[in-house]
Amino acid sequence: MDKNFQEEQFTGIIKFTPPLYKQRYQFIKDLVEKYKPKKVADLGCADCTLLWMLKFCSCIEVLAGLDICASVMKEKMHRLSPLPVDYLQPPERSLTVTLHHGSVAHKDPCMLGFDLVTCIELIEHLEESELKKFPEVVFGFMAPSLVVISTPNSEFNPLLPGVTLFRHPDHKFEWNRVQFQSWALEIARHYGYSVEFTGVGHPPRGMENVGFCTQIGVFVRKYTQTSESAQSETPTEGVYKTVFRAVYPSLKDEKYLQNAVVSEVIFTAQIIKRRLLDRLMSEHEEYNDDTTERKSKFQPLMNCFSEDLGKLVVEKSMEPFVKGSVVYIPLTTIFSFPKVIQLCGTFEKLCKLIAGKVTLSSDGSAMMFNTEHE
Amino acid sequence: MTGRARARARGRPPGQETAIPSVGAASVQQTLPSQPPGRQQPQQPHVPPSASEEPGGRGRQRGPQSVPQDFKTIGLQISAGFQELSLADRGGRRRDFYDLGVNTRQAIEHVQESKTGSSGSMIKLTANYFRLTSRPQWALYQYHVGYSPEMEARRLRSALLFQHEELIGKTHAFDGSILFLPKKLGNKVTEVTSRTRNGEDVKITITLTNELPPTSPTCLQFYNIIFRRLLKMLNLQQIGRNYYNPSDPISIPNHRLMVWPGFTSSILQYEESIMLCTDVSHKVLRSETVLDFMYSLYYQVGEERFRDTCAKELIGLIVLTKYNNKTYRVDDMDWDANPQCTFRKADGSEISYVDYYKRQYNQEITDLNQPVLISQSKRKRGGMVPGPVVLIPELCFLTGLTEKMRNDFNMMKDLAIHTRLPPEQRQREIGRLSDYIQKDDSVQKELRDWGLSFDSNLLSLTGRVVQGERILQSGNVFDYNPQIADWSKETRGTPLISAKPLDNWLLIYTRRNYDIANILVQNLFKVTPSMGIRMNKATMIEVDDRTEAYLRGLQQSVTPDTNIVFCILSSSRKDKYDAIKKYLCTDCPVPSQCVIARTLSKPQTALAVVTKIALQMNCKMGGELWSVEIPLKQVMIVGIDCYHDTLSGKQSIAGFVSSLNQTMTRWFSRCAVQGRGQELVDGLKACLQTALREWFKWNKYLPSRIIVYRDGVGDGQLNTLVNYEVPQFLDCLKSVGKDYNPRLTVIVVKKRVSTRFFAQYGGTLRNPPPGTVVDVEVTRPEWYDFYIVSQAVRTGCVAPTHYNVIYDTSKLKPDHVQRLTYKLCHMYYNWSGVIRVPAPCQYAHKLAFLVGQSIHREPNLVLSDRLYYL
């Protein structure tokens, strides 16, 4: 990730490329790629940009955001909604995105069970009383296996133009490295975490001693939690208000799985049927004064098959057949298609999912198509 | 061709192919196989669509292109930024889709008092409208917000302003400079101070600039913005201009289609109140990517024709990307590029598409050799010149239907089951939106905060059903069943008004269709005598099934005495049809009839099909079938429609048709082919001039009234029509002679409207009967407009046609204009029933379509007094 941190020659004006906030988000994204957490919460999620970036990470199944200000969350929260494509081709993984309105100084059971909790540029906005409760809420109560906390490094401030006291008027404090690290180490020790320090935003050449512009602490829980001891005093009532919730379609949901399977089955069966009929027809119709035209008309129906698929279908026991005006396609034929196998897993599951959705022969072993109207 | 005769035999009236509710954004009329589109190398920078880009892609916006876009539309003060702020939608285009601010009624003296008709019997109707009400003395307060020192970023401006929420209140809409509030601040000018991150103090001045009454145009736009916000709150997905509900899709696996139910909505000032017009809309999505589609095309057509076919099938389609909720129109394909190509990001670094999509959206591109799609974004954003947007086929899903799919009868049938809702069901679906709004707490809160509310019941209103016309045919008078609006049974076996003999005609067929040809001749001998058509045996010509063979046959056998050429085609191959039509419409002008062999081959329908074909042939040769009583004398009726060929060089074709006689049974036609950068109206002027000359030849005097029915006008183009086209017509009339001063009426005809009417019969809702006229409540106060339901439909909901009289010196009573319009809907000879639009519009449509699809230049004028384009 080094190449992300290109600093300009120090000319008195510090400019980060990519911008510092993006570097912070990228840092989290890289961390997610490395640890593959399933449940991620972003405390102080503001306009949900980080959550939006994280929703594309395929390992994550639960995303939650928390902010003290509901209106800033609401402004752009709709980009956390599923996209049309998520419905068109539901992915395997499930994903639920929830936004909560509340304070990091309060405990709410909805924040339990997370793998990763991120607090990007959050702590410096906390009042002293809130900051005091913060470690207990995040490390004691939520107790995720991974916590990331970032905050400004005040040693860097002299290099930033126009910064007199703090970088933002709402900041209650800005710490230097020693202050942050001792705070962090104390927490780590108390709650059984190990912590490593890093940061983003390299100082200009010759000024390396000031450290990163943003300092980051990565906390890893030392022991896997066995009992729920830490949550013995679990508050039963939620204090956060849910402002947004989106459940993404997924194949784990029977409804979407069934849709996907039925679609796939009918589509493949149609192709097989067409191919069978065409073959019969061309055998039937000996004379043919317009070969080119026939070809262009019938070939489309043979597409979508890779070579090996075509062979599979030809196997004797699975061969589809025509009786009268009805085409029979054995379910075993259909189950030989990789996509169908992949979706259903077992033959029994296939039968279960398509039951009632397609017309089957009396013994239930084949799909039936009436070709009278064609 | 393409089974039109078959369709008619089945009973599908013309003009109803489009009756399937707006499925998908795929633009129609795309399958022109002519030369592949010029593959210009798109200029740098190649940009993948990022969150900051707005695509311009929308199909279907049709109308006079390249007319100066000088929209002096009033009341559009809501800035582009505003619409984005509120919806992050694709608003911002300054185009006024609703033609707000075009006030044409004020110039038409005789409808100042009233524009309503009087004839017919009353009928109780319900329409898909909900009244929007605001509390008494409601007003929207518009403020200007200034910053000192000046702040650039909109986000910062908002952040600074909303540090004063206790002053402004929680309910507000702000675009960076204009602030809308539902309440009035204490002072006209308020000054506050905020502090930036850097500790800088900024003085903010909030100045009241406007107190907007509920009916002001700005307010109307504002309502629409708020309403879209509400739809978003209801978790509906925006695609294009409409909102859809993805949680309950209808899937049609046979065709890999998925249909999402949704709504169209617009809030406008109507005759007496502000109303929300909402209709059910269906979005057709396809569960395959462009790349999947290309693979299957490849297997179908093979290497050689692959690129051309791709271009033909894909260009003009609307695609939806995998990674964001945006739609793009495919304008071109770049076969020299692939996903490994790089582009320059905003920060100046180079990155390949593969890496970009992987990093940004975690999207894997597996096929590294695929070409890329190019979409020309039409909108300017933030002063940046819009560049081409590069899209990766693998990451794009197809939406809408291709022309090929539209022609697939079985597929359209499958689709129609889901999209053509009968009145009861449609009303229920529309009611669901109302339910959502009434029941959702946050939506209700938002409405309450703004002081607005919607009626929960659909609008009830009264329409009139004018009496059915009597069909006159060779001294016979027929009444038809008004419910089905069709008189094919009644007039069967009656001689035509004017029957043209088939003395000398050619029948061209392939060897395989020899039997079919013979049966055809026999059947024609059976059906023509009762029509009064004299007929000789055809000159039979057998040809090979190749285009050149057909053409050679024509060249050798067509003589100046040939009445008509009949071609039996063995398939619906378009190139053959095009070649034949082109030859016989331009080089060797003779009427022609092309029929696919299959259409004639079914014994059980053969006679019905042949009857229709005989009628059609008679019209093509200049015969007349029936008429209705038209009391207006010395009037020339004109019909205009446009065809937009987006594929080959973007030319547009205007079909122009004008009546030649009092009974409106003969029509003169011309068309104007408009190249790039030309104005359509120039061509129309020339058409009108020749039409008048021709009228004079037929009648020995000039018409004292001219009534123009103008179809093919897109949303938002009314202004152009009023300001450019009408004056040109007037100019043209002036140029005929000093003392020639005919009365001119110009009526804009619009088929694609979301208005629907339901007739109340006892407890149930049905389609209103043909002849239903509505000129109250749902019309616009600033227009002289009305709706007519002229056709009957068998399935789904009937769509009324909207007529807007934009210019009128005729002094004709509104009732007479309505009646005349309805009468003209009876005069389309390819359908013995009432159609959706006046016959001249449908004729103009047919002509423009034939020229645009097959001929590509103006047909020979020798044919111009016949309906050869049917």
Side-chain angles (χ1 to χ4, degrees), chain B residues 200-245:
Chain B
E200 191 182 1
D201 282 332
V202 178
K203 199 171 82 186
I204 303 175
T205 315
I206 308 167
T207 317
L208 181 68
T209 51
N210 234 332
E211 252 179 68
L212 301 162
T215 53
S216 87
T218 311
C219 264
L220 288 170
Q221 283 219 320
F222 176 77
Y223 298 144
N224 281 291
I225 290 170
I226 294 292
F227 191 70
R228 295 180 150 237
R229 233 189 226 183
L230 300 183
L231 292 174
K232 227 163 213 187
M233 287 166 110
L234 293 168
N235 273 326
L236 297 176
Q237 285 261 351
Q238 183 184 17
I239 302 179
R241 267 198 278 171
N242 302 328
Y243 284 81
Y244 298 90
N245 182 2

Side-chain angles (χ1 to χ4, degrees), chain B residues 375-394:
Chain B
S375 180
Q376 304 285 349
S377 97
K378 286 180 196 135
R379 284 191 51 215
K380 281 189 187 173
R381 243 186 94 90
M384 270 181 22
V385 185
V389 172
V390 170
L391 302 164
I392 307 295
E394 195 175 345

Side-chain angles (χ1 to χ4, degrees), chain B residues 239-506:
Chain B
I239 302 179
R241 267 198 278 171
N242 302 328
Y243 284 81
Y244 298 90
N245 182 2
S247 55
D248 240 340
I250 304 153
S251 96
I252 306 174
N254 288 5
H255 311 287
R256 293 221 143 167
L257 291 182
M258 210 175 249
V259 180
W260 286 6
F263 303 99
T264 68
S265 73
S266 66
I267 299 171
L268 285 177
Q269 170 74 51
Y270 293 96
E271 211 65 60
E272 273 138 36
S273 44
I274 297 166
M275 291 192 282
L276 161 72
C277 173
T278 179
D279 191 22
V280 180
S281 162
H282 290 96
K283 186 77 189 169
V284 175
L285 298 161
R286 289 151 74 179
S287 39
E288 58 181 350
T289 65
V290 174
L291 187 66
D292 292 339
F293 181 75
M294 286 169 69
Y295 280 150
S296 58
L297 264 189
Y298 187 84
Y299 286 114
Q300 269 176 58
V301 302
E303 177 88 51
E304 225 171 284
R305 286 168 52 210
F306 179 54
R307 290 188 177 190
D308 280 357
T309 319
C310 272
K312 201 167 100 185
E313 292 281 333
L314 290 173
I315 288 176
L317 281 188
I318 305 294
V319 297
L320 190 68
T321 53
K322 262 189 177 178
Y323 41 85
N324 62 19
N325 189 10
K326 289 200 174 144
T327 52
Y328 300 85
R329 201 188 109 104
V330 178
D331 290 310
D332 202 355
M333 299 186 68
D334 187 349
W335 294 92
D336 300 325
N338 65 47
Q340 281 165 300
C341 292
T342 59
F343 68 98
R344 197 175 288 281
K345 285 208 293 187
D347 63 12
S349 58
E350 287 267 333
I351 189 168
S352 72
Y353 297 111
V354 188
D355 292 343
Y356 174 79
Y357 286 110
K358 174 70 194 151
R359 191 168 307 167
Q360 192 77 13
Y361 300 107
N362 201 30
Q363 297 288 340
E364 300 274 3
I365 297 175
T366 53
D367 183 338
L368 297 178
N369 294 316
Q370 57 190 310
V372 300
L373 309 173
I374 310 287
S375 180
Q376 304 285 349
S377 97
K378 286 180 196 135
R379 284 191 51 215
K380 281 189 187 173
R381 243 186 94 90
M384 270 181 22
V385 185
V389 172
V390 170
L391 302 164
I392 307 295
E394 195 175 345
L395 302 181
C396 295
F397 276 82
L398 292 162
T399 73
L401 301 170
T402 60
E403 182 74 357
K404 205 161 137 202
M405 292 166 128
R406 282 176 197 278
N407 289 333
D408 181 340
F409 178 77
N410 284 319
M411 196 185 96
M412 293 310 274
K413 202 175 74 187
D414 289 353
L415 205 56
I417 296 170
H418 304 289
T419 57
R420 282 198 192 166
L421 306 178
E424 284 274 332
Q425 206 180 336
R426 198 178 195 102
Q427 188 255 3
R428 240 190 337 265
E429 292 295 317
I430 292 167
R432 260 167 57 173
L433 180 64
S434 171
D435 279 355
Y436 288 154
I437 293 171
Q438 308 292 347
K439 287 189 184 135
D440 190 291
D441 290 341
S442 44
V443 167
Q444 282 299 311
K445 183 174 180 305
E446 178 87 15
L447 280 171
R448 252 197 326 275
D449 287 346
W450 285 106
L452 301 170
S453 67
F454 287 99
D455 264 7
S456 49
N457 292 323
L458 289 170
L459 176 78
S460 294
L461 71 166
T462 311
R464 289 173 290 116
V465 184
V466 300
Q467 76 188 94
E469 292 296 324
R470 289 185 307 169
I471 305 301
L472 315 173
Q473 192 167 324
S474 302
N476 300 292
V477 179
F478 301 99
D479 287 313
Y480 57 89
N481 177 352
Q483 283 304 319
I484 55 170
D486 181 300
W487 50 85
S488 48
K489 279 209 184 74
E490 285 80 357
T491 55
R492 187 174 294 156
T494 313
L496 309 176
I497 293 180
S498 156
K500 295 288 170 183
L502 283 165
D503 290 331
N504 183 351
W505 61 295
L506 304 182

Side-chain angles (χ1 to χ4, degrees), chain B residues 472-686:
Chain B
L472 315 173
Q473 192 167 324
S474 302
N476 300 292
V477 179
F478 301 99
D479 287 313
Y480 57 89
N481 177 352
Q483 283 304 319
I484 55 170
D486 181 300
W487 50 85
S488 48
K489 279 209 184 74
E490 285 80 357
T491 55
R492 187 174 294 156
T494 313
L496 309 176
I497 293 180
S498 156
K500 295 288 170 183
L502 283 165
D503 290 331
N504 183 351
W505 61 295
L506 304 182
L507 177 56
I508 304 186
Y509 56 93
T510 57
R511 187 166 62 93
R512 225 172 127 185
N513 294 322
Y514 174 76
D515 291 340
I516 288 175
N518 275 307
I519 294 169
L520 168 74
V521 175
Q522 284 166 26
N523 284 338
L524 277 173
F525 272 117
K526 273 185 211 156
V527 301
T528 46
S530 66
M531 298 176 184
I533 297 173
R534 193 175 71 231
M535 184 175 142
N536 284 337
K537 273 211 146 139
T539 309
M540 308 276 278
I541 303 166
E542 191 170 291
V543 294
D544 285 345
D545 196 6
R546 283 177 298 112
T547 306
E548 310 82 70
Y550 274 93
L551 288 181
R552 206 174 321 115
L554 293 172
Q555 278 155 6
Q556 286 165 356
S557 315
V558 176
T559 68
D561 300 330
T562 306
N563 305 123
I564 194 165
V565 176
F566 197 116
C567 297
I568 299 177
L569 303 177
S570 52
S571 73
S572 57
R573 283 277 295 265
K574 194 169 169 307
D575 47 357
K576 206 173 288 165
Y577 175 82
D578 290 353
I580 293 168
K581 283 289 175 190
K582 192 165 187 173
Y583 179 69
L584 292 178
C585 287
T586 56
D587 302 332
C588 174
V590 177
S592 57
Q593 180 78 42
C594 292
V595 179
I596 299 176
R598 198 153 50 99
T599 312
L600 299 165
S601 65
K602 290 197 179 128
Q604 62 271 35
T605 56
L607 271 186
V609 168
V610 168
T611 305
K612 305 247 173 194
I613 290 174
L615 292 174
Q616 198 178 353
M617 285 163 69
N618 191 53
C619 297
K620 286 181 172 179
M621 294 185 292
E624 299 156 46
L625 307 187
W626 67 77
S627 70
V628 295
E629 198 191 327
I630 296 189
L632 217 54
K633 304 286 179 255
Q634 298 185 17
V635 57
M636 182 170 95
I637 306 285
V638 173
I640 300 172
D641 197 2
C642 296
Y643 172 87
H644 299 282
D645 178 358
T646 41
L647 201 65
S648 65
K650 309 224 158 141
Q651 62 178 9
S652 296
I653 286 130
F656 179 103
V657 171
S658 65
S659 64
L660 288 169
N661 57 359
Q662 159 67 25
T663 48
M664 314 284 173
T665 54
R666 293 296 300 270
W667 300 87
F668 167 79
S669 71
R670 277 198 68 173
C671 71
V673 180
Q674 168 218 19
R676 245 182 187 193
Q678 264 181 305
E679 289 186 19
L680 200 54
V681 68
D682 294 338
L684 291 179
K685 226 170 135 180

Side-chain angles (χ1 to χ4, degrees), chain A residues 10-25:
Chain A
F10 184 53
T11 53
I13 293 172
I14 296 275
K15 207 184 138 208
F16 293 103
T17 327
L20 200 55
Y21 78 96
K22 280 196 183 166
Q23 293 191 27
R24 287 193 288 259
Y25 293 155

Side-chain angles (χ1 to χ4, degrees), chain A residues 74-364:
Chain A
K74 279 181 180 169
E75 197 179 321
K76 288 191 176 171
M77 67 183 179
H78 287 290
R79 60 184 176 158
L80 298 176
S81 299
L83 295 172
V85 166
D86 293 316
Y87 292 95
L88 286 176
Q89 264 186 0
E92 181 61 40
R93 73 135 172 187
S94 61
L95 175 62
T96 307
V97 184
T98 319
L99 295 180
H100 303 284
H101 176 209
S103 161
V104 289
H106 298 137
K107 296 175 186 175
D108 186 300
C110 70
M111 280 292 160
L112 290 174
F114 280 84
D115 303 310
L116 167 64
V117 168
T118 59
C119 311
I120 304 302
E121 308 294 272
L122 167 76
I123 54 170
E124 64 275 11
H125 291 272
L126 302 180
E127 299 282 357
E128 207 182 326
S129 59
E130 294 168 323
L131 184 67
K132 236 183 215 157
K133 292 180 190 151
F134 173 83
E136 172 53 25
V137 174
V138 175
F139 294 88
F141 173 69
M142 297 182 191
S145 36
L146 209 59
V147 180
V148 181
I149 296 176
S150 85
T151 192
N153 168 17
S154 65
E155 292 165 75
F156 201 98
N157 284 0
L159 300 179
L160 297 171
V163 174
T164 45
L165 180 60
F166 296 141
R167 297 181 193 175
H168 188 277
D170 187 53
H171 285 181
K172 310 298 184 297
F173 60 87
E174 280 173 12
W175 281 336
N176 60 28
R177 280 172 290 175
V178 174
Q179 287 171 307
F180 176 59
Q181 289 178 10
S182 59
W183 177 79
L185 285 166
E186 170 54 25
I187 290 175
R189 189 194 57 74
H190 188 260
Y191 294 99
Y193 279 77
S194 66
V195 58
E196 275 181 38
F197 298 101
T198 173
V200 294
H202 281 273
R205 214 158 289 148
M207 309 271 195
E208 284 83 358
N209 58 336
V210 301
F212 290 106
C213 185
T214 297
Q215 47 183 340
I216 299 175
V218 180
F219 299 76
V220 181
R221 202 178 54 214
K222 280 187 185 154
Y223 316 103
T224 46
Q225 219 154 24
T226 44
S227 67
E228 300 291 295
S229 60
Q231 287 138 37
S232 52
E233 32 123 32
T234 299
T236 43
E237 263 177 65
V239 290
Y240 298 165
K241 216 182 132 205
T242 305
V243 292
F244 175 87
R245 190 176 156 82
V247 179
Y248 278 60
S250 141
L251 293 177
K252 294 216 172 83
D253 182 337
E254 187 94 339
K255 177 179 134 192
Y256 291 106
L257 179 63
Q258 182 170 45
N259 270 342
V261 169
V262 171
S263 299
E264 197 58 39
V265 164
I266 293 182
F267 187 72
T268 26
Q270 288 279 352
I271 296 169
I272 300 176
K273 182 193 83 178
R274 266 296 159 50
R275 235 162 36 142
L276 185 69
L277 290 179
D278 291 343
R279 207 175 58 218
L280 290 176
M281 218 197 239
S282 56
E283 280 166 12
H284 203 67
E285 226 168 276
E286 282 306 327
Y287 83 109
N288 187 348
D289 58 348
D290 189 7
T291 42
T292 51
E293 204 152 284
R294 296 201 66 82
K295 230 177 162 180
S296 70
K297 203 164 166 195
F298 292 131
Q299 259 195 0
L301 315 163
M302 306 203 176
N303 60 47
C304 303
F305 282 115
S306 63
E307 289 289 310
D308 53 341
L309 272 180
K311 274 179 213 143
L312 269 175
V313 180
V314 186
E315 262 178 52
K316 270 289 163 217
S317 61
M318 302 181 177
E319 210 158 351
F321 57 95
V322 183
K323 225 193 250 168
S325 61
V326 180
V327 177
Y328 292 84
I329 302 169
L331 290 183
T332 43
T333 311
I334 288 167
F335 192 65
S336 66
F337 283 73
K339 223 169 177 184
V340 178
I341 299 174
Q342 191 199 332
L343 283 169
C344 305
T346 64
F347 186 74
E348 288 65 42
K349 184 95 188 231
L350 168 70
C351 297
K352 196 187 142 215
L353 286 169
I354 61 172
K357 298 280 175 180
V358 300
T359 321
L360 293 178
S361 59
S362 52
D363 64 347

